[in-house]
């Protein structure tokens, strides 16, 4: 009952301490050599105590760290917060299993978040299918490769 964009807003809200932001496609525009930042618009604030959000953030960091359930989404050399999801649906198979859809939510970098990502894949598993796609998105965003990332300063 939610879209990937709505889930990216959720991830961003967790990352930034509870501000529910209006999604942006670009962080700035340029006209005649003048760069104008796109303003950050806060639509709402999560009605959650800051200490509870801190616990969720820490859980997402631990999940994305090596050995965690969401570790396939974390680029080498960067700490992120991540969460996998596998939504089972349909009729039960003879072996007792269900078909599933894959989710992966993350924000990066963990200590100074500037981007949130949501990946949804029909007929997949979160950790196996959606997480590596999120990692590729983060690598492209931060300009890194599979050998490690370096975040660019001044990101929003």
């Amino acid at each position: 009952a939610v879209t990937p964009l709505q889930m990216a807003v959720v991830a961003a809200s967790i990352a930034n301490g509870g501000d529910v932001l209006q999604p942006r496609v670009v962080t700035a525009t340029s006209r005649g050599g003048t760069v104008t930042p796109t303003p950050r618009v806060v639509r709402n604030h999560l009605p959650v105590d800051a200490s509870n959000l801190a616990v969720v953030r820490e859980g997402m960091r631990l999940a994305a760290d090596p050995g965690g359930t969401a570790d396939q989404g974390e680029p080498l050399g960067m700490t992120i917060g991540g969460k996998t999801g596998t939504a089972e649906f349909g009729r039960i198979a003879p072996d007792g299993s269900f078909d599933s859809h894959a989710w992966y939510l993350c924000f990066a970098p963990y200590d100074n978040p500037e981007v949130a990502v949501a990946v949804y894949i029909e007929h997949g598993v979160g950790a196996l299918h959606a997480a590596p796609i999120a990692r590729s998105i983060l690598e492209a965003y931060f300009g890194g490769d599979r050998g490690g990332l370096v975040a660019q300063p001044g990101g929003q």
Side-chain angles (χ1 to χ4, degrees), residues 10-133:
V10 168
S13 300
I14 293 167
N16 72 32
D19 286 340
V20 180
L21 303 176
Q22 176 73 34
R24 297 184 295 178
V25 176
V26 297
T27 59
T29 58
S30 177
R31 180 179 230 176
T34 302
V35 176
T36 305
T38 303
R40 180 180 192 258
V41 177
V42 179
R43 295 187 336 207
N44 208 337
H45 191 79
L46 296 177
V48 178
D49 186 82
S51 64
N52 292 334
L53 278 177
V55 170
V56 173
R57 278 178 49 86
E58 177 66 6
M60 290 178 74
R61 183 191 64 77
L62 292 170
D65 278 352
T69 58
D71 67 350
Q72 293 300 304
E74 185 169 74
L76 188 62
M78 176 178 278
T79 300
I80 70 168
K83 176 69 179 95
T84 62
T86 302
E88 295 178 329
F89 70 94
R91 293 191 175 115
I92 190 166
D95 68 357
S97 67
F98 289 88
D99 202 355
S100 63
H101 298 315
W103 281 96
Y104 191 85
L105 303 180
C106 65
F107 60 87
Y110 180 81
D111 289 328
N112 189 21
E114 64 180 78
V115 65
V117 174
V119 175
Y120 170 81
I121 300 177
E122 290 185 354
H123 305 287
V125 176
L128 297 176
H129 304 114
I133 291 170

